Amino acid sequence: MIYTARRLPRHRGPAAWADILGPGPAFPRIDSNIAADVAIVGAGFAGLSATRRVLQIWPQARVVVLEAWRVADGAAGRNSGFMIDLPHDLASEDYAGAGDDQRLTRLNRQAIAFAGAAAADYGIAPDYFDPAGKVNGAATEAGDGHNRSYSRHLGNLGEPSEWLDAQAMTELTGSRHYLSGLYTPGTVMLQPAGYIRGLAAGLAVQADIFEHSPVLNFRRVGGDWMLRTPKGQVTANRVILGVNGHLESFGVAKGRLVQLFLFASMSEELSPEARTALGGAPRWGVTPSDPMGTTVRRIDAGQGGHRIVTRNCAVVRPGLQPTDRDMVRAARSHARAFARRFPQLTGMRQAQVWGGHLCLSLNGVAHSREIEEGVFSACVQNGLGTTRGTLTGIAAADRCCGQVSEITSYFDAESDLKPLPPKPFSTFGANAYLRWKEWRAGVE
Ligand SMILES: Cc1cc2nc3c(=O)[nH]c(=O)nc-3n(C[C@H](O)[C@H](O)[C@H](O)COP(=O)(O)OP(=O)(O)OC[C@H]3O[C@@H](n4cnc5c(N)ncnc54)[C@H](O)[C@@H]3O)c2cc1C
């Protein structure tokens, strides 16, 4: 069997979280033939977590990581940086999950603890891994209702939350946009590129990491797998795929993955005058009470500068690349959401606008299994890729090293990914549905 990458990742706009930090650690391009015990494809949350976990279980293993771009250039440097512990079902009205939310929360916390231990071990700046919690903001009566229902759901799970009224929201954010907010303490606010770069730099002491080294194909050769890149190859006994939606590019789970693109903008650096006009706290994160609304973050000097990050707009692109029109629509939508929230910053430019890839399944399950002898997946993270990517990475490493854990058992028990309706109807229908959901989310 040969697995050929029909598509390689391509990005629109900058990986702004990486850009604002300046140059990071650089890793070479593979240009020779290497033998390894484990080859890991993809250096995002899943691939790097898998690397750490393999080395915890099997410290002498020779582990090679192959990344198509630079570390933190992909979705890892393009997300909003909420590493959330609680149920976060984007398909629901209020994030409550349909499954065993208590168990999932416990596992999410294992992932966060794993990431926290990595941050401590590798000396990652505390500002890049900030256990500050987050707020679910509500801007309308409907949003307020979603928040109340979510808060009841959390109460039933025994999870603490704190209700913020309109004034408290203004004191936090400087914005008068919100009617209320629901604070939950367990989310870690990442500088996602800072965290991922720190993880890669720490792992590089034990593992060989290669950038600009896309895997073009891999196939069985005797008892091993041979992975081919443009300038070199790796022969390894075991392979872990941490490529998220690009699993489908290798021909796996075809017709079962929703290739979703999300978009975000980052403001130019806020001058001292702009910061005074804005008011509020220097660092906070607000997710929308309606999952299809706008996520906003304020970051400060410790995370790459005083800036505001705005995320909204979603589109399904099975070709794995957003269009020019998607970018223009997103930039306009971000500008509107920003102006509505921060009239005191009128005229402020969005310095960076970008798109990023995340991958869902229709029934919200991950792809975490042994695909064929010696080939393991850590893919399809659904709406919570920082946490779920970490979890699927751990699970793949456990499986690869023959370990059974609560995490592998969780993914083993998930049902198969539900097939999508035939194209082009599925794409057209999904995008029409997303537009309707965005319209319904309104100013949320
Ligand atoms: C705008 C935006 C906001 C988001 N906000 C959040 C948030 O706040 N919280 C959250 O939890 N999630 C968020 N996400 C989702 C999150 O970023 C992803 O789910 C997460 O990055 C998935 O991690 P991963 O390691 O599975 O995949 P990725 O981070 O996509 O990493 C996969 C890596 O594989 C590499 N790759 C692919 N094909 C190959 C190949 N053939 N050879 C070599 N390498 C290859 C890619 O280059 C990439 O670096 C957001 C996403 C976007 C776009």
Side-chain angles (χ1 to χ4, degrees):
M1 174 72 177
I2 176 158
Y3 294 88
T4 301
R6 282 198 316 122
R7 289 196 177 90
L8 292 173
R10 296 171 68 181
H11 304 301
R12 297 300 308 259
W17 290 98
D19 272 16
I20 59 173
L21 293 182
F27 301 99
R29 186 189 302 255
I30 185 169
D31 61 2
S32 59
N33 299 346
I34 295 179
D37 296 304
V38 184
I40 296 184
V41 188
F45 285 87
L48 293 178
S49 302
T51 307
R52 175 171 163 86
R53 182 70 184 144
V54 166
L55 289 166
Q56 281 177 339
I57 303 171
W58 185 7
Q60 296 79 24
R62 174 135 199 225
V63 181
V64 170
V65 181
L66 298 167
E67 167 54 46
W69 288 84
R70 299 235 23 221
V71 167
D73 260 5
R78 293 167 181 269
N79 60 68
S80 301
F82 291 71
M83 194 173 208
I84 300 175
D85 57 337
L86 293 169
H88 193 77
D89 186 348
L90 292 187
S92 75
E93 296 283 311
D94 62 358
Y95 300 108
D100 183 348
D101 277 349
Q102 231 149 6
R103 183 166 182 219
L104 191 55
T105 302
R106 195 171 63 245
L107 293 181
N108 286 345
R109 287 185 179 143
Q110 276 190 40
I112 291 174
F114 178 90
D121 287 353
Y122 306 142
I124 295 174
D127 289 330
Y128 299 171
F129 189 89
D130 180 10
K134 68 148 179 110
V135 174
N136 232 23
T140 61
E141 291 300 334
D144 193 78
H146 288 160
N147 257 354
R148 286 183 197 281
S149 118
Y150 187 52
S151 133
R152 277 194 298 278
H153 181 65
L154 293 180
N156 292 337
L157 295 175
E159 293 295 340
S161 62
E162 187 187 329
W163 193 258
L164 305 182
D165 63 14
Q167 191 187 335
M169 286 300 284
T170 303
E171 280 163 16
L172 178 71
T173 63
S175 170
R176 297 189 177 281
H177 183 70
Y178 297 102
L179 296 181
S180 64
L182 187 70
Y183 171 77
T184 47
T187 293
V188 171
M189 299 303 293
L190 298 174
Q191 199 311 355
Y195 168 73
I196 285 290
R197 282 179 173 182
L199 197 52
L203 287 165
V205 174
Q206 283 175 281
D208 291 312
I209 301 180
F210 295 99
E211 296 180 317
H212 299 297
S213 303
V215 173
L216 305 177
N217 62 49
F218 61 98
R219 65 190 164 92
R220 238 225 200 274
V221 177
D224 287 328
W225 290 96
M226 197 170 78
L227 297 88
R228 195 168 70 79
T229 76
K231 298 230 160 114
Q233 58 195 37
V234 178
T235 306
N237 190 245
R238 297 157 220 205
V239 177
I240 293 178
L241 296 175
V243 293
N244 207 5
H246 280 281
L247 185 64
E248 194 171 13
S249 304
F250 284 105
V252 181
K254 270 165 85 176
R256 288 170 193 261
L257 306 190
V258 182
Q259 307 287 4
L260 194 75
F261 284 80
L262 299 183
F263 302 85
S265 291
M266 198 179 266
S267 75
E268 60 189 356
E269 174 115 29
L270 304 179
S271 64
E273 297 73 38
R275 298 204 298 267
T276 307
L278 172 62
R283 199 186 275 190
W284 47 263
V286 174
T287 46
S289 60
D290 181 313
M292 290 307 291
T294 300
T295 298
V296 191
R297 247 186 102 167
R298 162 97 153 85
I299 59 172
D300 63 14
Q303 296 170 318
H306 294 275
R307 298 167 194 273
I308 293 176
V309 188
T310 308
R311 186 210 58 76
N312 64 31
C313 281
V315 67
V316 173
R317 291 285 172 238
L320 294 173
Q321 217 198 349
T323 63
D324 289 343
R325 281 180 67 182
D326 295 336
M327 296 298 291
V328 170
R329 177 173 88 92
R332 286 201 187 119
S333 176
H334 299 159
R336 271 197 306 275
F338 185 91
R340 210 175 266 135
R341 283 163 179 76
F342 308 110
Q344 63 275 52
L345 299 180
T346 299
M348 170 152 286
R349 232 172 39 86
Q350 299 301 315
Q352 282 141 320
V353 185
W354 68 92
H357 183 195
L358 72 83
C359 180
L360 313 174
S361 59
L362 276 185
N363 48 341
V365 297
H367 200 285
S368 164
R369 65 183 70 160
E370 185 165 11
I371 297 169
E372 194 183 326
E373 196 185 341
V375 181
F376 305 87
S377 60
C379 299
V380 191
Q381 320 302 0
N382 292 285
L384 199 51
T386 59
T387 314
R388 188 73 67 96
T390 305
L391 270 184
T392 57
I394 297 171
D398 281 352
R399 287 204 178 98
C400 162
C401 299
Q403 302 235 339
V404 174
S405 63
E406 195 190 355
I407 301 177
T408 55
S409 307
Y410 176 82
F411 288 119
D412 283 344
E414 279 193 334
S415 48
D416 205 0
L417 286 81
K418 202 169 155 187
L420 307 181
K423 280 181 214 158
F425 305 109
S426 58
T427 310
F428 181 76
N431 283 328
Y433 180 68
L434 285 172
R435 287 287 189 106
W436 173 73
K437 293 266 279 184
E438 281 172 4
W439 172 80
R440 223 177 51 142
V443 299
E444 289 296 345

